[in-house]
């Protein structure tokens, strides 16, 4: 079965599940409160380590080419992007099956499907 965009129904369902799972992973558990992550009295919260890179949640190929589902670290939202679009101040230079290449003022940045996502289960090592 093919939808109106020309994508197989399985692909659309898979991408929908990826996006829904990512949104759920970003929602704090009820009763978790913020006290667990708050610094103890007299301590300071750790500062940011550096610029946070976008996270790649999925890639599909359709009639109009590659589409990457990326979480923008500044807005914390996941959206569909194509080559030439801008995410987190960087331009998407290439989209492939397992990775996306971004170009910005600091040069090229590669994000991969295998990059760790917040709330994702830990993989055995």
């Amino acid at each position: 079965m093919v939808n109106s965009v020309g994508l197989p129904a399985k692909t659309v369902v898979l991408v929908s599940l990826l996006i829904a799972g990512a949104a759920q992973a970003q929602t704090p558990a009820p009763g978790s409160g913020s006290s667990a992550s708050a610094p103890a009295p007299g301590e300071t919260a750790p500062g940011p380590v550096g610029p946070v890179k976008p996270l790649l949640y999925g890639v599909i190929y359709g009639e109009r080419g590659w589409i990457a589902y990326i979480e923008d670290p500044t807005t914390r939202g996941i959206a569909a992007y194509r080559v030439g679009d801008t995410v987190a101040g960087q331009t998407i230079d290439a989209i492939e099956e397992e990775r996306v290449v971004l170009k910005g003022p600091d040069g090229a940045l590669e994000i991969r499907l295998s990059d760790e996502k917040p709330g994702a289960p830990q993989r055995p090592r």
Side-chain angles (χ1 to χ4, degrees):
M1 181 171 163
V2 176
N3 66 11
S4 63
V5 183
L7 297 174
K10 282 184 177 178
T11 302
V12 173
V13 170
L14 177 61
V15 170
S16 298
L17 290 172
L18 284 169
I19 293 171
Q24 185 177 16
Q26 293 175 8
T27 306
S32 65
S34 61
S35 61
S37 61
E43 292 181 8
T44 59
V49 176
V52 179
K53 71 180 186 175
L55 295 174
L56 180 60
Y57 278 89
V59 175
I60 61 171
Y61 186 81
E63 286 181 17
R64 295 177 41 209
W66 290 102
I67 300 171
Y69 290 88
I70 301 173
E71 177 185 339
D72 184 328
T74 56
T75 64
R76 308 276 305 175
I78 299 171
Y81 295 90
R82 297 180 180 277
V83 172
D85 289 346
T86 301
V87 59
Q90 301 177 57
T91 303
I92 297 178
D93 189 53
I95 300 175
E96 298 173 5
E97 283 184 58
E98 297 285 324
R99 72 184 190 118
V100 171
V101 178
L102 305 167
K103 291 219 174 155
D106 297 330
L109 171 67
E110 179 181 285
I111 54 175
R112 303 185 70 78
L113 281 173
S114 60
D115 291 345
E116 295 295 325
K117 314 295 187 286
Q122 296 296 317
R123 286 182 260 149
R125 306 237 182 239

